[in-house]
């Protein structure tokens, strides 16, 4: 085999990247010096033990929490501490773990709400485009969102964000509270399909193995810092990966690159 054939494909140029981000909720920072990037057609998974700061990182990237140091870049433009609405206008879609749909509204009304920044005349066309991505939503459009199953609700939540046709899709624990089979379908089919459509997908997922199956690049957060990053296959080959993910190891020094120094 030639060297070129054995070399993994290069990562795409990033659409969204964060550089040395520090943030939190006031007081001691939750996230400290984290850098991460995601490019078009790429799925990047952020995994780690509970309390690692994964959701805090996403909230910082989308402007819900303020960056105290570092910067967030979108297509070469500094968007640090821009509002969530401004980032949505610029093509960043965010699906939170909870409160991701409007329960009293129908599925169609939820999608229409997702298109709040669009001209009224273009909303119907965007609904049709979302249905192409999630055909299972078509017969559910008139149903109230609180009557949907867990998997249907999550499809609707993602579909609502897709109404603005974002270039970057940020997902926080999309399989939370889903049955294993539904979780596998959501990740293996729907999230993977977003990447296949050219979206830059940044995914926080507690089901680490499932996330590794669909990701092109993975970052492991422990105690608010990047402890490990690289291609999933490379991470799985590391003898310390399981120990690190469970948060049991304290001998690993955080680094910004893809390797870990043993103290």
């Amino acid at each position: 085999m030639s060297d070129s054939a054995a070399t993994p494909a290069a990562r795409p140029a990033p659409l969204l990247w964060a550089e040395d981000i520090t943030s939190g909720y006031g007081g001691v920072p939750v996230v400290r010096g984290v850098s991460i990037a995601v490019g078009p057609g790429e799925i990047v998974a952020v995994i780690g033990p509970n309390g690692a700061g994964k959701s805090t990182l996403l909230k910082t990237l989308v402007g819900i929490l303020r960056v105290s140091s570092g910067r967030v870049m979108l297509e070469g433009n500094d968007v640090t501490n821009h509002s969530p609405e401004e980032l949505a206008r610029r093509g960043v879609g965010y699906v939170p773990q909870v409160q991701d749909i409007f329960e009293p509204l129908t599925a169609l009304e939820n999608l229409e709400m997702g298109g709040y920044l669009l001209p009224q005349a273009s909303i119907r066309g965007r609904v049709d485009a979302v249905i192409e991505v999630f055909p299972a939503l078509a017969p559910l459009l008139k149903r109230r969102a609180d009557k949907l199953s867990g998997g249907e609700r999550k499809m609707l939540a993602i579909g609502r964000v897709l109404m603005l046709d974002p270039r970057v899709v940020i997902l926080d624990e999309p399989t939370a509270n889903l049955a294993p089979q539904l979780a596998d379908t959501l990740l293996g089919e729907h999230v993977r399909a977003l990447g296949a459509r050219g979206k830059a997908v940044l995914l926080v997922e507690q089901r680490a193995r499932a996330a590794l199956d669909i990701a092109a690049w993975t970052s492991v957060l422990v105690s608010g810092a990047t402890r490990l990053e690289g291609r999933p296959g490379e991470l799985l080959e590391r003898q310390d990966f399981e120990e690190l993910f469970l948060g049991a190891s304290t001998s690993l020094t955080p680094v910004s690159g893809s390797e870990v120094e043993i103290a």
Side-chain angles (χ1 to χ4, degrees), residues 3 7 14-16 22 30 48 58 84 89 107 126 138 160 211 224 226 254:
D3 291 341
T7 302
L15 279 176
L16 177 74
T22 296
V30 176
L58 296 194
R89 290 181 184 275
R126 286 304 307 157
R160 187 168 65 84
T226 302

Side-chain angles (χ1 to χ4, degrees), residues 34 40-41 58 67 70 79 106 113 138 156 209 225 240 244 257:
V34 172
L58 296 194
V67 175
V79 294
T106 66
M113 289 286 287
L156 178 60
R209 295 285 179 175
D240 58 357
L244 179 62

Side-chain angles (χ1 to χ4, degrees), residues 16-37:
L16 177 74
W17 70 97
E19 190 174 69
D20 294 327
I21 292 296
T22 296
S23 68
Y25 302 87
V28 178
V30 176
V31 172
R32 304 183 306 280
V34 172
S35 298
I36 197 162

Side-chain angles (χ1 to χ4, degrees), residues 24-240:
Y25 302 87
V28 178
V30 176
V31 172
R32 304 183 306 280
V34 172
S35 298
I36 197 162
V38 58
E42 184 180 44
I43 298 175
V44 173
V46 181
I47 62 175
N50 290 331
K54 303 184 298 295
S55 293
T56 299
L57 173 62
L58 296 194
K59 291 176 182 177
T60 304
L61 296 178
V62 300
I64 295 173
L65 297 176
R66 289 192 62 80
V67 175
S68 57
S69 67
R71 62 177 183 163
V72 180
M73 305 292 292
L74 178 64
E75 294 187 298
N77 299 305
D78 192 331
V79 294
T80 308
N81 291 326
H82 283 211
S83 70
E85 181 173 335
E86 173 62 20
L87 290 171
R89 290 181 184 275
R90 287 173 170 262
V92 178
Y94 170 59
V95 182
Q97 181 180 348
V98 296
Q99 298 179 336
D100 52 0
I101 58 172
F102 300 103
E103 291 189 340
L105 303 182
T106 66
L108 177 59
E109 290 168 337
N110 267 273
L111 294 178
E112 291 171 340
M113 289 286 287
Y116 72 106
L117 293 175
L118 300 174
Q120 187 65 33
S122 65
I123 289 180
R124 183 66 240 186
R126 286 304 307 157
V127 170
D128 292 340
V130 169
I131 296 303
E132 289 184 13
V133 179
F134 295 122
L137 288 178
L140 306 174
L141 291 179
K142 295 183 178 180
R143 188 175 300 179
R144 276 177 50 128
D146 58 1
K147 303 300 182 183
L148 301 179
S149 69
E152 292 166 346
R153 288 164 64 103
K154 189 54 67 173
M155 279 192 293
L156 178 60
I158 298 174
R160 187 168 65 84
V161 165
L162 293 181
M163 284 292 292
L164 296 180
D165 196 19
R167 296 183 299 281
V168 180
V169 179
I170 297 178
L171 305 172
D172 190 0
E173 300 275 11
T175 68
N177 302 318
L178 293 185
Q181 185 174 358
L182 287 175
D184 289 342
T185 298
L186 183 72
L187 291 177
E189 296 182 13
H190 301 310
V191 174
R192 181 174 271 152
L194 295 177
R197 289 174 176 264
K199 307 294 184 186
V201 181
L202 182 59
L203 165 74
V204 159
E205 180 54 55
Q206 193 63 33
R207 300 175 74 248
R209 295 285 179 175
L212 290 169
D213 284 344
I214 67 168
W217 191 263
T218 301
S219 180
V220 183
L221 259 60
V222 177
S223 300
T226 302
R227 292 296 184 93
L228 201 64
E229 61 178 3
R231 299 188 183 279
E234 297 168 353
L235 299 187
L236 288 171
E237 290 176 356
R238 295 185 62 100
Q239 294 182 349
D240 58 357

